[in-house]
Amino acid sequence: MQVKLLLLCLALPWAAGAQEPAAKGESAYTDRGADTCIKCHDEDSKFPVLSIFKTKHAQPADPRTPFAKLQCESCHGPGARHAEEVPEGQKQAPIMAFGPKSWVPIEKQNQVCLGCHEDQARIAWKSSPHGGNDVACVSCHQIHATHDAVRTATEQPDVCFNCHQRQRAEFDQPSVHPVRFGQLACSSCHQVHGTVAAKLLLKPTLNELCYTCHAEKRGPFLWEHAPVPEDCSNCHTPHGSIHAPLLTKLPPLLCQQCHSQLGHPSIAGTAGGLPGGAPSAFVLSGACLNCHSQVHGSNSPSGVKLMR
Ligand code: HEC
Ligand code: HEC
Ligand code: HEC
Ligand code: HEC
Ligand code: HEC
Ligand code: HEC
Ligand code: HEC
Ligand code: HEC
Ligand code: HEC
Ligand code: HEC
């Protein structure tokens, strides 16, 4: 019985967690840290291991960084057994590895990062759509790289589009928020590490988000247009649309989702919405905005019908 239990422990060496002190039969930390590792993982290796030395993680003078602690093993866990020379044709003992293809469960990988980074920005990570759906920190971040694409506005969208295909198509529409050109990033509107707001928005409500950049739409207006303070997405889509500017539909259809044709027709040859009537003075090809130009609200004393 005791023997059986012992074998189980040996078969699951990672079950104890890479960051915890090495248990019996598991690997221990190396004596010389990075120096041991880079004997084999040197400039000749296919994977660019050494570029980490040019990143913020490799600042031994900063006591919070991995290189002020156990160096490579702060992230990769105890590696003494892995670092042992093995006879030709044999494999190195396993070591903590990262990424979606790693043998280590993603939750365990993320725990290593969160060990140092579970601060204000990632306080809601575990309950977020990313944290809750087993997305790895390193599905977005590159650690052994001098340049982390996801934190560069022009390159960030492509990282996201790897998983969010539909949004790729949305940002290819004729009318878009200028994310393609790096003027905005996805992270200008989304807090990808988790928030209390729906859809990972940076602000508690959609309108609060829009007002951060389009402050003039907040008003206050003498004459409000009710659907505007209610929700900008009554008329706009946030990413992209075939109808400029970012409209869900074009007028008159846009407007007539809420406003009846009756009494204010927009189809020629109708009156009160009925066929055969006299032409209406208000038709004008359904261009509601030609007259009601202040669709977001008006501050003119005579702007009650949003015309000025
Ligand atoms: C004696 C040479 C040697 C030393 C020393 C060494 N490694 Fe390795 N390491 C290898 C080889 C060879 C591989 C390729 C994969 C294999 O055969 O297991 C590898 C693979 C890895 C991997 C990928 C594992 C995977 O499952 O994909 C990581 C991570 C790694 N090493 C980190 C380290 C760290 C950290 C150290 C220092 C503690 C270290 N290595 C020391 C030879 C070495
Ligand atoms: C801050 C955490 C961190 C530190 C410190 C770190 N690594 Fe890594 N390492 C990673 C992550 C994450 C990956 C997965 C690839 C990526 O995102 O860049 C990785 C990948 C690797 C790989 C390639 C594994 C594969 O799947 O092929 C090797 C080898 C490796 N690291 C060795 C080292 C060595 C040697 C050091 C010390 C000089 C080191 N690492 C320091 C986090 C770290
Ligand atoms: C031992 C602690 C430690 C571990 C483990 C760790 N980090 Fe860090 N990380 C730091 C520190 C310290 C900084 C520098 C913060 C600063 O300068 O404000 C940093 C910076 C970063 C940055 C910003 C880099 C920059 O250039 O501004 C990213 C992204 C990051 N870490 C991601 C990760 C990920 C992903 C992992 C897991 C694979 C990880 N870290 C593991 C301590 C750690
Ligand atoms: C969906 C992609 C994505 C995932 C997954 C992700 N990040 Fe980030 N991360 C970003 C983006 C984008 C930024 C830059 C924008 C910002 O600061 O919010 C960033 C910035 C950072 C920074 C530097 C700025 C700061 O907030 O301190 C750190 C550190 C970091 N991430 C750590 C992590 C850790 C740890 C994980 C896993 C628990 C993780 N990230 C998962 C996309 C991601
Ligand atoms: C490795 C795959 C992956 C990457 C890369 C990724 N995501 Fe996600 N994302 C997911 C998964 C899985 C979910 C949760 C399921 C869903 O809603 O599709 C999600 C959810 C979201 C949501 C919330 C959706 C909702 O309905 O609540 C937003 C917003 C989001 N991601 C934005 C981003 C942004 C911005 C980036 C790039 C910085 C990014 N994602 C990168 C996989 C990814
Ligand atoms: C101008 C702000 C803004 C930008 C920039 C932005 N988003 Fe969004 N995104 C939103 C809003 C607002 C919603 C919520 C829509 C809703 O609730 O109807 C949203 C929703 C989402 C969703 C959830 C699914 C959906 O369509 O409702 C995903 C995934 C997403 N965004 C990914 C991205 C990615 C990836 C990028 C960058 C390529 C990005 N977003 C850029 C504002 C933005
Ligand atoms: C981080 C800043 C930012 C946020 C947040 C933001 N926008 Fe924008 N918006 C922009 C920029 C930049 C442009 C492009 C302006 C230009 O081209 O002159 C733009 C353009 C627009 C346009 C005009 C598009 C066109 O084709 O001319 C509309 C409509 C719009 N935004 C609506 C919204 C709505 C609705 C929200 C909230 C969901 C929102 N914006 C949130 C920055 C932002
Ligand atoms: C009732 C429908 C409707 C609602 C609700 C609405 N908009 Fe608009 N918006 C429009 C129409 C129609 C246009 C085009 C105006 C034009 O062509 O003169 C427009 C144009 C815009 C533009 C680009 C031109 C400009 O005026 O700067 C921005 C930015 C914008 N809206 C932001 C917002 C924001 C932010 C909200 C929420 C606070 C919002 N809109 C709510 C219908 C609406
Ligand atoms: C999501 C529903 C909705 C959409 C879409 C919408 N409206 Fe409105 N609109 C309202 C509501 C609600 C009121 C307030 C009605 C009231 O006070 O009786 C209003 C008021 C108005 C008024 C002032 C009416 C009055 O009696 O003072 C005008 C003019 C108007 N809308 C024009 C438009 C135009 C033009 C469009 C298209 C660009 C449009 N609306 C799109 C819901 C909408
Ligand atoms: C030729 C200018 C013109 C056009 C085009 C026009 N309107 Fe009007 N609209 C008016 C005038 C003038 C009034 C005020 C009528 C009154 O006070 O009796 C009005 C009133 C309204 C009202 C207030 C309710 C009512 O019937 O009095 C709504 C809602 C409205 N219009 C919506 C629309 C919509 C939706 C469209 C596009 C299909 C549109 N308008 C096109 C001039 C126009």
Side-chain angles (χ1 to χ4, degrees):
M1 184 62 186
Q2 265 180 343
V3 176
K4 248 191 195 163
L5 269 175
L6 185 67
L7 280 176
L8 199 70
C9 295
L10 287 174
L12 295 169
W14 48 266
Q19 284 262 302
E20 286 152 32
K24 235 190 196 155
E26 265 190 40
S27 189
Y29 291 103
T30 56
D31 299 330
R32 301 186 50 229
D35 287 344
T36 310
C37 312
I38 59 180
K39 267 196 314 206
C40 296
H41 297 288
D42 55 13
E43 57 278 347
D44 294 334
S45 66
K46 222 175 7 170
F47 184 80
V49 173
L50 300 186
S51 45
I52 199 169
F53 287 107
K54 295 190 191 136
T55 69
K56 283 201 175 162
H57 279 134
Q59 307 292 332
D62 180 345
R64 303 167 303 154
T65 69
F67 278 76
K69 301 181 200 278
L70 293 155
Q71 305 184 333
C72 315
E73 293 163 279
S74 297
C75 292
H76 287 289
R81 274 186 54 201
H82 169 80
E84 282 165 16
E85 306 268 353
V86 296
E88 277 281 315
Q90 271 191 40
K91 281 194 152 251
Q92 306 293 131
I95 186 165
M96 174 88 184
F98 293 87
K101 292 195 197 113
S102 161
W103 58 282
V104 183
I106 284 172
E107 204 192 327
K108 276 240 167 299
Q109 298 177 29
N110 290 352
Q111 265 169 25
V112 173
C113 313
L114 289 169
C116 294
H117 290 295
E118 200 162 24
D119 49 15
Q120 199 55 38
R122 275 154 299 275
I123 200 135
W125 169 259
K126 287 192 177 112
S127 57
S128 77
H130 287 136
N133 280 286
D134 239 18
V135 174
C137 307
V138 299
S139 287
C140 288
H141 290 290
Q142 286 175 289
I143 295 303
H144 285 271
T146 48
H147 174 81
D148 191 6
V150 83
R151 287 185 300 120
T152 309
T154 45
E155 295 165 40
Q156 183 188 90
D158 283 326
V159 177
C160 312
F161 294 156
N162 281 333
C163 299
H164 295 293
Q165 293 288 341
R166 188 161 63 78
Q167 282 67 32
R168 182 197 295 275
E170 287 169 0
F171 280 101
D172 275 340
Q173 307 267 24
S175 175
V176 291
H177 264 118
V179 160
R180 278 277 177 215
F181 323 107
Q183 222 175 315
L184 286 177
C186 313
S187 56
S188 308
C189 295
H190 294 289
Q191 162 49 291
V192 296
H193 300 121
T195 56
V196 286
K199 313 279 183 192
L200 291 172
L201 296 184
L202 276 171
K203 296 283 168 184
T205 66
L206 185 137
N207 274 40
E208 284 298 320
L209 173 70
C210 309
Y211 295 148
T212 55
C213 299
H214 302 290
E216 78 287 356
K217 300 288 185 286
R218 185 201 285 271
F221 296 107
L222 193 52
W223 309 105
E224 280 191 343
H225 189 196
V228 177
E230 184 190 80
D231 196 332
C232 308
S233 68
N234 277 325
C235 299
H236 293 289
T237 59
H239 296 157
S241 169
I242 50 170
H243 308 302
L246 286 168
L247 292 173
T248 53
K249 289 184 169 62
L250 285 178
L253 286 182
L254 177 72
C255 315
Q256 287 170 343
Q257 295 172 103
C258 302
H259 295 291
S260 163
Q261 285 234 29
L262 293 170
H264 212 69
S266 63
I267 300 171
T270 64
L274 301 171
S280 162
F282 296 126
V283 175
L284 288 185
S285 319
C288 317
L289 297 176
N290 283 355
C291 300
H292 304 287
S293 60
Q294 303 305 307
V295 68
H296 299 105
S298 168
N299 276 323
S300 164
S302 51
V304 57
K305 304 293 181 204
L306 308 176
M307 293 200 210
R308 57 186 75 223

